[in-house]
């Protein structure tokens, strides 16, 4: 089955499923007071080389983003992010709700990323002394971006520098943090606090877990409200060991980087197979495990008729012109079958108007 809609659609990695089964023995303390939670939190700290970081396990990426931003933002402040940031267009105002109504200000001219200069310009539009305007709140960058591109370590450091000058924290939405680290060949620390990042939503769900993300806040003083907000937001698991078991297995023997590198490799194979087809044009460079590609309507129709499943992001499948380009989004996770990639390429290459 040629399923390339999302890395959210994939199965749980067998090692993580086994860890859940192992955790399912007997009675242990609830609400995160169990040994496995303590162990998983230590593993997150180890991976980030941040022994003092505050770490919280939550079931969803939206929870990690909204609770971190809630803990870092006053209700009268604005959060700066890219035009297509998940927190802005995809979380139904969860960040606004969890911050008590903070505003979101999109930054820059590109939809996927912003740069340090664009951020400086956006921040300079606000005067923190003007009580009639928003105060300056956190900056949030997504890594991998919502369009499959990456911030280089230098770009993150440049953005962090602007944040420091403005006196605001930098949050990294790392729903696909592992894919980015694997693609850049860098450590978790290099892509976060060493580059000036204050807090990370460290994703696992898209990359082999069932449902767990870690909210990592490097300065514990900035995390004091998190647990209260988590409770108030109905996001505290009573049987916390099942979140911990996933995160623990995810970070054992580098599984998190292994699955991410595999997803990136499979996406590269898919990309190179469709690259030469007439009328195929990539909307963004593929830098991790997501591909955004313009293909003629007749190619999309052939693929969907053959059983492919993926999202069309721009344009409509209905229409008379077989050559009109429509934007497809193709995502690979670690579990994608190479035979399905080969079949997809085959159908796309053989499509007739």
């Amino acid at each position: 089955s040629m399923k390339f809609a999302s890395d959210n659609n994939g199965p749980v990695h067998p090692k993580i499923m086994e860890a859940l089964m192992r955790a399912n023995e007997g009675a242990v303390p609830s609400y995160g007071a169990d040994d496995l939670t303590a162990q998983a939190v230590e593993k997150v700290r180890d991976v980030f080389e941040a022994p003092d970081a505050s770490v919280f396990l939550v079931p969803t990426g939206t929870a990690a983003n909204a609770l971190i931003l809630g803990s870092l933002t006053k209700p009268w402040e604005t959060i700066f992010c890219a035009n297509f940031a998940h927190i802005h267009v995809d979380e139904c105002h969860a960040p606004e709700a969890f911050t008590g109504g903070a505003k979101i200000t999109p930054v820059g001219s590109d939809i996927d990323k912003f740069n340090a200069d664009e951020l400086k310009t956006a921040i300079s539009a606000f005067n923190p002394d003007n009580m009639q305007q928003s105060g300056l709140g956190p900056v949030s960058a997504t890594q991998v971006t919502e369009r499959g591109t990456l911030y280089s370590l230098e770009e993150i450091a440049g953005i962090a520098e602007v944040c420091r000058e403005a006196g605001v924290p930098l949050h990294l939405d790392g729903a696909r943090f592992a894919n980015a680290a694997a693609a850049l060949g860098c450590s978790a620390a290099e892509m976060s606090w060493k580059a000036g990042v204050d807090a990370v939503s460290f994703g696992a769900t898209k990359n082999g877990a069932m449902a767990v993300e870690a909210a990592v806040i490097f300065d514990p003083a900035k995390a004091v409200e998190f647990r209260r907000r988590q409770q108030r937001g109905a996001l505290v698991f009573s049987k916390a060991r099942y979140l911990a078991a996933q995160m623990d297995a995810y970070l054992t023997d580098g599984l998190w980087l292994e699955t991410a590198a595999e997803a990136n490799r499979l996406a590269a194979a898919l990309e190179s197979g469709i690259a030469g087809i007439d009328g195929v044009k990539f909307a963004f460079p593929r830098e991790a495990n997501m591909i955004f590609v313009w293909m003629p309507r007749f190619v999309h129709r052939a693929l969907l008729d053959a059983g492919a499943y993926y999202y069309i992001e721009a344009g409509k499948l209905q229409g008379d012109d077989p050559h009109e380009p429509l934007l497809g989004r193709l995502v690979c996770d670690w579990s994608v079958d190479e035979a399905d990639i080969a079949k997809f390429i085959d159908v796309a290459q053989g499509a007739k108007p």
Side-chain angles (χ1 to χ4, degrees), residues 166-198:
V168 299
L170 175 57
H171 163 250
L172 203 64
D173 177 351
R176 295 182 176 90
F177 187 97
N179 300 90
L184 292 174
C186 66
S187 70
E190 286 166 341
M191 204 165 72
S192 58
W193 64 268
K194 286 187 177 179
V197 172
D198 295 287

Side-chain angles (χ1 to χ4, degrees), residues 228-304:
R228 291 249 186 223
R229 289 179 177 277
Q230 188 183 4
Q231 192 72 51
R232 181 178 179 266
L235 286 161
V236 174
F237 260 42
S238 72
K239 296 191 176 180
R241 63 170 137 168
Y242 298 101
L243 291 180
Q246 297 174 68
M247 187 56 73
D248 186 67
Y250 186 60
L251 298 180
T252 298
D253 299 331
L255 180 65
W256 68 289
L257 282 173
E258 188 187 306
T259 46
E262 180 66 356
N264 293 354
R265 184 186 72 79
L266 291 161
L270 181 57
E271 174 194 38
S272 64
I274 57 175
I277 300 172
D278 224 25
V280 163
K281 192 160 152 276
F282 295 96
F284 295 88
R286 181 211 56 81
E287 295 181 336
N289 67 320
M290 304 168 79
I291 297 167
F292 287 82
V293 61
W294 293 101
M295 298 190 287
R297 181 178 276 117
F298 75 87
V299 176
H300 286 287
R301 282 186 175 153
L303 286 163
L304 296 167

Side-chain angles (χ1 to χ4, degrees), residues 3-277:
K3 295 193 165 64
F4 299 107
S6 176
D7 36 12
N8 287 317
N9 295 173
V12 176
H13 194 281
K15 287 183 178 172
I16 292 176
M17 200 57 101
E18 285 158 20
L20 282 161
M21 296 300 289
R22 278 198 305 278
N24 197 33
E25 292 292 324
V28 303
S30 51
Y31 298 109
D34 60 293
D35 293 341
L36 192 51
T37 296
Q39 182 177 309
V41 163
E42 275 314 313
K43 278 198 180 163
V44 174
R45 288 179 178 141
D46 287 348
V47 159
F48 279 92
E49 303 166 49
D52 300 324
S54 291
V55 176
F56 306 90
L57 302 181
V58 293
T60 70
T62 299
N65 287 341
L67 290 166
I68 287 173
L69 291 170
S71 303
L72 297 178
T73 317
K74 299 279 191 291
W76 53 85
E77 291 174 344
T78 188
I79 297 160
F80 298 91
C81 64
N83 287 289
F84 262 51
H86 234 90
I87 61 166
H88 180 42
V89 300
D90 241 336
E91 293 181 344
C92 197
H93 301 203
E96 289 92 333
F98 279 71
T99 54
K103 173 186 167 74
I104 286 184
T105 299
V107 177
S109 55
D110 292 337
I111 65 173
D112 57 330
K113 286 162 71 172
F114 56 88
N115 63 39
D117 288 340
E118 290 171 328
L119 179 61
K120 196 176 271 192
T121 302
I123 287 175
S124 69
F126 293 88
N127 172 7
D129 297 327
N130 182 348
M131 292 298 143
Q132 292 170 309
Q133 280 190 333
S134 302
L136 300 179
V139 173
S140 181
T142 311
Q143 181 79 322
V144 178
T145 75
E146 287 79 5
R147 285 297 177 264
T149 52
L150 294 173
Y151 289 93
S152 69
L153 298 185
E154 294 71 28
E155 286 174 316
I156 296 172
I159 287 166
E161 187 57 38
V162 175
C163 292
R164 267 196 301 279
E165 285 165 15
V168 299
L170 175 57
H171 163 250
L172 203 64
D173 177 351
R176 295 182 176 90
F177 187 97
N179 300 90
L184 292 174
C186 66
S187 70
E190 286 166 341
M191 204 165 72
S192 58
W193 64 268
K194 286 187 177 179
V197 172
D198 295 287
V200 178
S201 304
F202 178 60
T205 307
K206 294 181 194 297
N207 192 36
M210 181 183 286
V212 69
E213 318 277 306
V216 186
I217 303 174
F218 296 109
D219 176 1
K222 289 190 169 78
V224 288
E225 296 174 21
F226 192 99
R227 185 64 177 72
R228 291 249 186 223
R229 289 179 177 277
Q230 188 183 4
Q231 192 72 51
R232 181 178 179 266
L235 286 161
V236 174
F237 260 42
S238 72
K239 296 191 176 180
R241 63 170 137 168
Y242 298 101
L243 291 180
Q246 297 174 68
M247 187 56 73
D248 186 67
Y250 186 60
L251 298 180
T252 298
D253 299 331
L255 180 65
W256 68 289
L257 282 173
E258 188 187 306
T259 46
E262 180 66 356
N264 293 354
R265 184 186 72 79
L266 291 161
L270 181 57
E271 174 194 38
S272 64
I274 57 175
I277 300 172

Side-chain angles (χ1 to χ4, degrees), residues 272-353:
S272 64
I274 57 175
I277 300 172
D278 224 25
V280 163
K281 192 160 152 276
F282 295 96
F284 295 88
R286 181 211 56 81
E287 295 181 336
N289 67 320
M290 304 168 79
I291 297 167
F292 287 82
V293 61
W294 293 101
M295 298 190 287
R297 181 178 276 117
F298 75 87
V299 176
H300 286 287
R301 282 186 175 153
L303 286 163
L304 296 167
D305 287 349
Y309 173 57
Y310 58 91
Y311 295 135
I312 292 178
E313 294 276 329
K316 293 264 189 292
L317 203 57
Q318 300 74 32
D320 296 330
D321 178 3
H323 295 280
E324 187 189 334
L326 315 176
L327 182 63
R329 184 187 95 148
L330 308 169
V331 186
C332 291
D333 81 335
W334 60 275
S335 72
V336 165
D337 190 336
E338 303 216 26
D340 290 333
I341 291 178
K343 184 180 174 191
F344 187 96
I345 293 164
D346 210 38
V347 172
Q349 285 175 344
K352 298 277 184 287

